[in-house]
């Protein structure tokens, strides 16, 4: 069985801006990549669509679904949404159970999601907390349990829009230069938030600068930043 990664996204476009390079890189290396959007972001993340006269939530969700599926296909990933609504996103026990069941089903090696704190977005921290809980429930305590468990996945958070205000301190830079065109294609699919493409293109160049200085690898032109949430277990340093 190929290894898998799961990206838990509060809204249907979050995975594109923050982790599209990681997704495309994993797929190119033979992994399966699965995007789980907790909502479509139809209420608070679809500003361009709400400029159209007579717009409705159902129509916005339909458009956002199509955009997200096209973006995921550009990266080689699957996409599904739990369609839980946004602004506010509410993760009750039933919603956490659904996410937990998905993690058990997909048994990923790695889970990526939002940072715990975002003072400008009411849904991102909710998505983080629910993902942490679902991961814990899916993997148990690392011992035999009364329910089905999976090996504990690694857990990383992807970079928020304003990292310095979200307690985000990068611990990992990923060189996404080889898959940059795939990330561009995914960003191009997100017409409802097209204004974010320039920002995240520039951010990828900024993080590449940091990665070059840390590693001495002069060929890095684009990079994504992640913060590891748990220690890594290794056999040697």
């Amino acid at each position: 069985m190929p290894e898998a990664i799961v990206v838990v996204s509060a809204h249907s476009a979050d995975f594109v801006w923050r982790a599209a390079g990681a997704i495309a890189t994993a797929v190119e290396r033979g992994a399966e990549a699965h995007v789980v959007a907790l909502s479509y972001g139809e209420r608070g993340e679809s500003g361009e669509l709400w400029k159209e006269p007579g717009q409705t939530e159902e129509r916005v969700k339909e458009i956002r679904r199509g955009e997200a599926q096209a973006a995921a296909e550009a990266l080689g990933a699957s996409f599904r949404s739990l369609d839980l609504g946004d602004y506010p996103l509410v993760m009750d026990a039933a919603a956490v159970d659904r996410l937990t069941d998905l993690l058990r089903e997909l048994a990923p090696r790695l889970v990526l999601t939002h940072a715990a704190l975002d003072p400008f977005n009411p849904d991102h921290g909710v998505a983080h907390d629910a993902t942490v809980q679902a991961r814990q429930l899916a993997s148990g305590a690392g011992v035999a349990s009364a329910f089905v468990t999976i090996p504990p996945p690694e857990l990383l958070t992807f970079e928020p829009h304003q990292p310095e205000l979200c307690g985000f301190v990068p611990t990992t830079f990923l060189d996404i230069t080889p898959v940059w065109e795939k990330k561009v294609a995914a960003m191009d699919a997100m017409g409802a938030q097209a204004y974010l493409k320039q920002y995240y293109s520039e951010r990828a160049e900024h993080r590449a600068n940091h990665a070059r200085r840390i590693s001495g690898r002069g060929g890095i032109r684009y990079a994504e930043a992640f913060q590891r949430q748990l220690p890594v277990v290794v056999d040697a340093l």
Side-chain angles (χ1 to χ4, degrees), residues 174-198:
L174 175 66
D175 178 11
I176 62 170
T177 308
V179 296
W180 176 245
E181 293 306 318
K182 291 186 177 181
K183 177 158 184 170
V184 170
M187 291 192 293
D188 284 340
M190 291 298 175
Q193 292 178 289
Y195 52 86
L196 288 175
K197 179 182 176 182
Q198 179 179 351

Side-chain angles (χ1 to χ4, degrees), residues 29 33-34 38 62 65 75 84 86 106 110 117 135 137 146 149 164 176 202 204 220 222 224 234:
R29 294 189 174 189
H34 306 279
L38 303 180
E62 180 183 348
R65 182 186 305 113
L75 302 172
L84 296 170
D86 67 311
L106 299 172
L110 170 66
L117 175 67
R135 176 195 171 278
L137 292 170
T149 61
E164 65 278 5
I176 62 170
E202 293 174 354
I220 300 176
Y222 303 99
E224 288 175 341
V234 298

Side-chain angles (χ1 to χ4, degrees), residues 204-220:
E205 292 178 333
H206 296 160
R207 290 312 193 184
N209 176 275
H210 300 158
R212 288 194 300 271
R213 291 176 65 88
I214 291 169
S215 67
R217 293 167 52 183
I220 300 176

Side-chain angles (χ1 to χ4, degrees), residues 17-154:
W17 317 118
R18 299 171 173 90
I23 293 169
T25 299
V27 171
E28 286 210 346
R29 294 189 174 189
E32 294 181 350
H34 306 279
V35 175
V36 179
L38 303 180
S39 79
Y40 289 110
E42 65 272 11
R43 287 165 50 86
E45 300 275 303
S46 305
E48 293 302 306
L49 299 179
W50 285 108
K51 294 178 181 179
E52 299 179 15
Q55 189 62 275
T56 66
E57 283 194 21
E58 286 306 311
R59 175 59 179 155
V60 170
K61 286 201 290 186
E62 180 183 348
I63 294 171
R64 295 280 284 183
R65 182 186 305 113
E67 290 181 351
Q69 288 175 337
E73 287 174 5
L75 302 172
S78 71
F79 173 82
R80 68 189 83 188
S81 175
L82 301 190
D83 194 11
L84 296 170
D86 67 311
Y87 283 72
L89 171 66
V90 177
M91 294 295 295
D92 58 15
V96 172
D97 281 346
R98 289 175 66 187
L99 183 56
T100 302
D101 287 342
L102 269 176
L103 293 184
R104 289 193 181 109
E105 172 193 337
L106 299 172
R109 175 192 63 80
L110 170 66
V111 173
L112 302 175
T113 194
H114 295 270
L117 175 67
D118 192 332
F120 296 101
N121 192 296
D123 296 344
H124 291 171
V126 174
H128 171 274
D129 292 347
T131 302
V132 169
Q133 185 178 12
R135 176 195 171 278
Q136 291 171 333
L137 292 170
S139 58
V143 297
S145 305
F147 46 86
V148 175
T149 61
I150 61 173
E154 293 184 62

